[in-house]
Amino acid sequence: MDYQAGVSGVDIVPETREEDEDVSSSRSRGWGQALRQRWRRLLMIAVGLVLLPYVLIILYMPSFIHPISTLMLRDLVLLRGYDRQWVSFDDIAPNLVQSVMMSEDGQFCIHDGVDWVQMRGVVTDALDGEATRGASTIPMQTVKNLFLWNGRSFLRKAMELPLALVADFVWSKRRMMELYLNVAEWGPGIYGAEAAAQHHFGVSAAKLTRRQAALLAVALPNPFERNAGKPGRGLRRLASVIERRAGRSGEYIKCLYE
């Protein structure tokens, strides 16, 4: 009897270990499967976020759609509020359109969203270790304002280039300029040509003079330090240059007014 009990006890021990090993293995497989599912969901979310701007580019084609920028969305989330009054392209003074083109993107009407000549110059300067100059076109700035974030980074630029090419292909030049001039930032919480014109000069965007338009245009690169309504000597000097260029911009803006 004792011998049988001893044998029986020996038989039970390995069975218990096998059961414990099976449970442990099952738990490991469960954790591994849950981890893979989590990574799969995160990957799908990341892919969705990357593809979302391309879907929005198509949705923003109609002129009755008035999108907001990522900076406006940030101001809403932070409960700051902002001032933006949408105006159609035809209700924006040609003076401002000409000045912005001559200041920001003189080849706007002929490139495909990216000025490759300027871009090659920037890449060459970077490879040579020299300080790089800006090469952002209006399409690049528009998609950055609508879908991306401020600040220099290779990731943002890598996302910005294809978005600019697609947007320039999908949107007309007039629609592109209309979007840009309605989402550009002209001061803390001041977005778009109408709000900027009223804030800085007390007039509507349709009534901007050539001088006022030039001041707004040269303030765009840094609207927090460059106040179009209270320009310093340097800003006035830049505005004079852009004002002269705008006066000779007839051949450059045919894609917008023909």
Side-chain angles (χ1 to χ4, degrees), residues 194-205 207-208 212 229:
E194 184 68 19
Q198 293 188 18
H199 176 78
H200 291 295
F201 304 112
V203 300
S204 69
K207 301 295 185 181
L208 286 167
Q212 291 168 341

Side-chain angles (χ1 to χ4, degrees), residues 14 16-27 29:
T16 303
R17 288 176 178 173
E18 289 177 1
E19 290 175 358
D20 290 342
E21 289 174 357
D22 290 342
V23 171
S24 177
S25 177
S26 176
R27 287 177 177 174
R29 287 195 299 270

Side-chain angles (χ1 to χ4, degrees), residues 75-141:
D75 288 345
L76 287 176
V77 171
L78 297 178
L79 303 178
R80 296 175 181 172
Y82 63 85
D83 185 9
R84 197 280 294 273
Q85 303 164 49
W86 186 277
V87 287
S88 68
F89 180 81
D90 291 329
D91 291 326
I92 299 173
N95 288 330
L96 182 61
V97 176
Q98 294 166 345
S99 295
V100 168
M101 278 188 60
M102 292 299 98
S103 177
E104 299 286 293
D105 186 3
Q107 304 302 312
F108 175 71
C109 281
I110 61 176
H111 63 59
D112 57 0
V114 177
D115 189 333
W116 295 110
V117 174
Q118 292 291 330
M119 189 60 64
R120 280 194 294 270
V122 170
V123 173
T124 300
D125 289 344
L127 293 176
D128 292 341
E130 300 178 5
T132 58
R133 58 188 183 278
S136 291
T137 61
I138 285 175
M140 291 168 66
Q141 293 180 57

